Amino acid sequence: MEKNYPMLAKTFFGFEDILATELQKLGAVKIEKGVRSVSFEGDKGFMYKANLCLRTALKILKPIHKFFVRNEKDYYQKLYDFAWEKYFSVNQTFAVSVTLQTELFNHSQYVALRAKDAIVDRFRAKVGKRPNVDTLHPDLQIHIHVQKNEVIVSLDTSGVSLHQRGYRTSTNIAPINEVLAAGILLLSGWQGQSDFLDPMCGSGTFLIEAAMIACNIPANIHRKEFAFEKWNDYDAQLFETIFENCLKKTREFHYQIVGYDKAPSAVAKAKENLKNANLSDYIDVFQKNFFETQKENKSTALQMVFNPPYNERLQIDIQQFYGEIGNTLKNGYPNTDAWFITSNLEALKYVGLRPSRKIKLFNGKLESKLLNYKMYEGSKKQQYS
């Protein structure tokens, strides 16, 4: 029977709790939250399942070696002494990435270069040949994390970041990262319990991630490949079994998912991405200006999640635009649980509504707030009287 081993799932700031919950539901053990990461244990099959199913993970790393160092010479020697030939052959390619949280070394690129030298020199000494480096599509992606004087060597099980789901071929000026979108949806409490609207849907990322959560479709079902598929111990039959089992757990969805965008080009791109995700039957996209709309069925519950322009790359009149968001929600969308993310914190005062919740997140490097506005039917006073 396959043994459990430690792994680390990397994520965005603010998603540690929901990633830990996802891991727990999938069946991970020894779950511990870090900063922008969650550590856990599982076997090979679980590693496959984590890559396939986790919505809020950016990468899954598998630590294979830990040691302490005093200096650069020490670092090189301990990497040279490690049995790299167990993990890949001289005919395969590799790449090294490094993150530093230490005063021992200054430049991550140099630290990566010394690791590469140690690995290559070991192969030369052992088999008389050296493996090649391929930074774009390596057979083995090695990740080295140096914290103070501890070095953790991991294999990147995922390859390119897990936000690259494989369904998005068309994007607009400022598309939201798929992992960020999924995390925002999960933070908003979305599980497919009502109708859903993204009133500024762009290329449709929130719509697709919302449908995948509602139908329990594995997040990375459309990915072309994962890094572990190139490993020496890759078990294609096991992966196929896990893939099929995850598909069996999908469920029906009995509400509507709708997107609006006022730009015809955005609507066309969203529809193309829906088609790529095989979700056209679950989602409708219309060319509409949100500020000229009203909720169609005022008595039924509606979940609304969107990513308005921040004035970073799309030029807008902030005061007018965010004022219109508030007016449209207040006048046209009763019985709605509305959420949106913005990095333009100044703009929030123009919304004219008091948020129920504010959650600090990052959109790329931009510090942002995820805001929740609960729009009741009638006044708040009536709601509680």
Side-chain angles (χ1 to χ4, degrees), residues 223-335:
R223 284 263 295 208
K224 294 287 183 282
E225 67 172 9
F226 299 95
F228 59 72
E229 292 178 65
K230 293 180 177 177
W231 291 7
N232 295 339
D233 69 347
Y234 174 55
D235 186 335
Q237 194 174 353
L238 177 62
F239 180 65
E240 193 61 38
T241 303
I242 283 161
F243 191 92
E244 294 300 325
N245 286 342
C246 291
L247 274 187
K248 282 178 193 164
K249 291 175 184 165
T250 58
R251 57 183 175 235
E252 278 303 307
F253 174 65
H254 302 290
Y255 298 96
Q256 284 187 304
I257 296 179
V258 175
Y260 297 157
D261 205 287
K262 67 176 189 178
S265 59
V267 172
K269 285 170 185 171
K271 285 182 174 177
E272 188 181 326
N273 291 333
L274 300 185
K275 198 174 162 189
N276 295 338
N278 298 319
L279 288 169
S280 301
D281 292 347
Y282 288 91
I283 303 166
D284 292 308
V285 183
F286 302 102
Q287 188 191 338
K288 286 188 182 183
N289 181 345
F290 172 51
F291 302 148
E292 295 166 5
T293 68
Q294 285 196 341
K295 190 178 174 192
E296 289 182 9
N297 190 339
K298 296 197 173 177
S299 61
T300 59
L302 176 69
Q303 184 102 345
M304 183 190 291
V305 182
F306 60 111
N307 175 35
Y310 303 169
N311 209 27
E312 286 287 329
R313 286 177 278 186
L314 295 166
Q315 293 302 308
I316 53 169
D317 180 328
I318 286 294
Q319 186 170 345
Q320 184 188 357
F321 191 87
Y322 279 77
E324 286 281 359
I325 289 176
N327 289 336
T328 308
L329 289 175
K330 190 165 54 183
N331 299 322
Y333 284 85
N335 200 10

Side-chain angles (χ1 to χ4, degrees), residues 366-379:
L366 300 171
E367 185 178 326
S368 306
K369 285 279 192 296
L370 176 62
L371 286 302
N372 176 214
Y373 297 92
K374 293 193 183 301
M375 310 311 299
Y376 298 101
E377 203 162 3
S379 69

